[in-house]
Amino acid sequence: QAGIRTTKSPKRDSGMAMVVEMLQQEVAASKARVLTLESEASAHQVAVRRASEESTREKDRLREEVVALHGQLALAHEQLDDARVQASAHKTLAQATPPTAAGSRPSPE
């Protein structure tokens, strides 16, 4: 069994202990970083959820506003149509009415 060492070297054991300690420190630092990232991710998820909820509320509010504006527009169209009918009736009535004594229209005679 030449080439296989069976004796322990204190220097080698000390070096291995340092490597193990460094690796343990790196693992601890990595775990801390993971916890930080998980916390940040959670905060971002909360922010995204809140923004989504706010966006939904704003979209609903705007939808209601559009419906109200459509109603106002329909009412305005009805009022315009009524005004046109009244104007047409007044014009027809004015053309059919004989002139007044004040002579607002010349007599056809």
Side-chain angles (χ1 to χ4, degrees), residues 9-102:
S9 162
K11 190 174 185 181
R12 188 175 74 177
D13 286 347
S14 173
M16 290 297 259
M18 285 176 41
V19 169
V20 167
E21 185 180 334
M22 284 180 13
L23 290 174
Q24 287 174 336
Q25 288 174 358
E26 287 182 28
V27 167
S30 293
K31 285 181 179 180
R33 181 70 179 137
V34 166
L35 290 176
T36 299
L37 290 173
E38 286 174 343
S39 176
E40 289 174 2
S42 178
H44 285 293
Q45 287 174 339
V46 168
V48 167
R49 188 177 69 244
R50 285 182 184 158
S52 176
E53 290 168 355
E54 178 62 30
S55 173
T56 299
R57 282 192 298 273
E58 181 67 8
K59 188 172 26 172
D60 291 344
R61 186 191 67 75
L62 289 172
R63 187 175 294 120
E64 290 173 8
E65 189 174 329
V66 166
V67 168
L69 289 172
H70 275 293
Q72 291 175 4
L73 181 61
L75 180 61
H77 276 291
E78 288 176 20
Q79 290 172 344
L80 180 61
D81 289 342
D82 290 346
R84 284 182 178 150
V85 167
Q86 286 179 354
S88 177
H90 285 303
K91 182 178 179 183
T92 301
L93 184 61
Q95 289 173 349
T97 304
T100 63

